């Protein structure tokens, strides 16, 4: 947010400190371009309307694209529309930023080239659980619903994104909670998924969800309330990584 406020160039690009670009941005004549957003990704070549972009920036089609990187944002577009990252949300604020931009974008361009090298860490940088993440995730879903209601998407498209995000949120919360060393304490916290909005888990057909296979199994176990088994599965997964393993992915 500080960078957005202080920026003076024509375009703003976000690059995580441990990632890098695999191209020279000077090959693009940005002075002659006049787009609110420029997306760089080979997976987006068939996109014709901004409505069809929502599933991508929300992570349904390609989870990593939900981040703010591999995109150029026109500075005036961002600043004039007062689009910032929500500092009260610690997980998912990137996606909300993208949706906010899509709601307001008038002119966008897709360049059929992957320019971004994303450092994927296998394991997790978070080795402890903080109860604040539950409050943060609840705020995330509230803001997500508000932003989607401001969009021109059909109701079924909005519900698809909301459902995916809630299921993904359950997985994220369970993963973080599994760092609690005492199962009894884990059980107290995991019961939050029986409340709104997470209780949606008990109302939907998981076979039709966009969540991938392994995570879908976890959701089935949570739906059956096999909390101890899920806890042990995540604990075992974490114990595999003495040190975080990493690799680069081109996006």
């Amino acid at each position: 947010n500080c960078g957005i406020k202080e920026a003076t160039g024509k375009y703003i690009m976000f690059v995580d400190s441990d990632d890098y670009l695999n191209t020279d941005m000077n090959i693009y004549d940005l002075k002659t371009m006049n787009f609110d957003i420029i997306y760089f990704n080979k997976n987006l070549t068939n996109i014709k309307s901004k409505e069809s972009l929502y599933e991508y920036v929300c992570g349904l089609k390609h989870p990593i694209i939900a981040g703010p990187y591999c995109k150029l944002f026109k500075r005036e577009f961002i600043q004039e529309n007062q689009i910032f990252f929500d500092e009260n949300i610690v997980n998912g604020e990137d996606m909300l930023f993208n949706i906010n931009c899509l709601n307001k974008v008038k002119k966008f361009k897709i360049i059929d080239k992957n320019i971004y090298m994303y450092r994927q860490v296998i394991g997790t940088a978070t080795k402890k659980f903080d109860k604040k993440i539950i409050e943060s995730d609840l705020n995330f879903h509230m803001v997500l619903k508000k932003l989607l209601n401001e969009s021109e998407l059909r109701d079924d498209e909005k519900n698809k994104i909301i459902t995916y995000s809630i299921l993904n949120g359950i997985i994220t919360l369970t993963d973080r909670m599994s760092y609690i060393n005492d199962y009894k304490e884990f059980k107290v916290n995991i019961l939050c998924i029986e409340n709104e909005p997470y209780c949606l888990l008990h109302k939907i057909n998981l076979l039709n969800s966009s969540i991938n296979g392994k995570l879908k199994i976890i959701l089935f176990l949570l739906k059956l309330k096999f909390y101890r088994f899920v806890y042990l599965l995540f604990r075992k997964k974490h114990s595999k990584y003495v040190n975080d393993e990493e690799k680069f992915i081109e996006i």
Side-chain angles (χ1 to χ4, degrees):
N1 285 340
C2 290
I4 290 172
K5 293 173 184 176
E6 297 297 327
T8 58
K10 184 174 181 180
Y11 285 95
I12 293 172
M13 173 177 273
F14 299 97
V15 182
D16 284 358
S17 59
D18 58 346
D19 300 338
Y20 69 92
L21 302 179
N22 64 4
T23 189
D24 182 354
M25 291 305 296
N26 289 327
I27 67 174
Y28 301 101
D29 189 3
L30 300 180
K31 291 182 180 179
T32 63
M33 291 186 180
N34 190 30
F35 300 96
D36 298 328
I37 309 174
I38 301 172
Y39 297 90
F40 293 88
N41 197 274
K42 292 178 181 177
N43 296 314
L44 304 179
T45 52
N46 295 322
I47 297 295
K48 302 300 181 184
S49 66
K50 80 171 187 177
E51 284 74 26
S52 54
L53 270 171
Y54 279 89
E55 284 194 10
Y56 282 90
V57 303
C58 292
L60 277 73
K61 297 289 187 180
H62 193 312
I64 298 175
I65 299 178
Y69 28 71
C70 64
K71 306 168 185 68
L72 281 170
F73 300 90
K74 192 174 182 181
R75 178 179 59 82
E76 290 180 356
F77 164 73
I78 295 293
Q79 293 179 342
E80 288 176 4
N81 285 287
Q82 290 291 292
I83 303 173
F84 295 102
F85 293 89
D86 192 325
E87 297 180 20
N88 294 315
I89 297 175
V90 297
N91 194 46
E93 74 282 7
D94 293 352
M95 189 176 111
L96 298 176
F97 180 88
N98 280 328
I99 296 174
N100 204 359
C101 288
L102 261 181
N103 284 350
K104 297 177 172 64
V105 70
K106 301 298 183 185
K107 294 176 65 179
F108 69 88
K109 180 179 178 63
I110 294 171
I111 294 181
D112 179 18
K113 184 175 177 63
N114 290 352
I115 66 167
Y116 197 91
M117 298 302 292
Y118 174 83
R119 188 190 303 264
Q120 183 184 56
V121 179
I122 304 171
T124 177
T126 303
K127 306 299 184 186
K128 61 181 180 178
F129 170 67
D130 188 331
K131 284 191 175 183
K132 290 180 181 178
I133 193 175
I134 300 177
E135 180 182 352
S136 170
D137 198 61
L138 289 171
N139 287 334
F140 165 81
H141 294 296
M142 181 177 65
V143 176
L144 173 64
K145 188 173 183 179
K146 174 179 177 294
L147 289 175
L148 289 176
N149 284 336
E150 293 172 359
S151 75
E152 298 177 2
L153 291 173
R154 302 191 312 268
D155 286 345
D156 63 315
E157 294 171 327
K158 296 175 186 176
N159 290 333
K160 187 176 181 180
I161 293 170
I162 289 171
T163 298
Y164 172 85
S165 299
I166 290 173
L167 294 180
N168 200 54
I170 291 172
I171 293 292
T172 300
L173 289 176
T174 305
D175 180 69
R176 297 289 181 88
M177 290 176 189
S178 66
Y179 282 101
I180 299 173
N181 290 322
D182 181 12
Y183 171 72
K184 290 182 180 179
E185 186 181 347
F186 168 86
K187 177 73 177 294
V188 169
N189 285 282
I190 199 63
L191 289 178
C192 75
I193 69 170
E194 297 183 6
N195 302 322
E196 292 287 352
Y198 311 112
C199 59
L200 176 72
L201 172 64
H202 301 284
K203 304 173 184 177
I204 65 169
N205 182 357
L206 287 173
L207 293 175
N208 296 326
S209 76
S210 301
I211 301 290
N212 73 45
K214 291 183 179 179
L215 298 183
K216 198 172 290 186
I217 293 172
I218 297 296
L219 290 170
F220 269 117
L221 293 171
L222 290 171
K223 191 171 184 176
L224 294 171
K225 300 186 179 182
F226 290 172
Y227 298 137
R228 182 180 291 275
F229 190 48
V230 171
Y231 176 71
L232 294 174
L233 281 176
F234 274 97
R235 296 286 290 182
K236 183 177 180 181
K237 184 191 77 168
H238 297 322
S239 67
K240 288 169 56 180
Y241 305 105
V242 178
N243 297 306
D244 287 332
E245 301 174 11
E246 58 185 46
K247 62 179 179 179
F248 281 100
I249 299 175
E250 184 182 64
I251 60 172

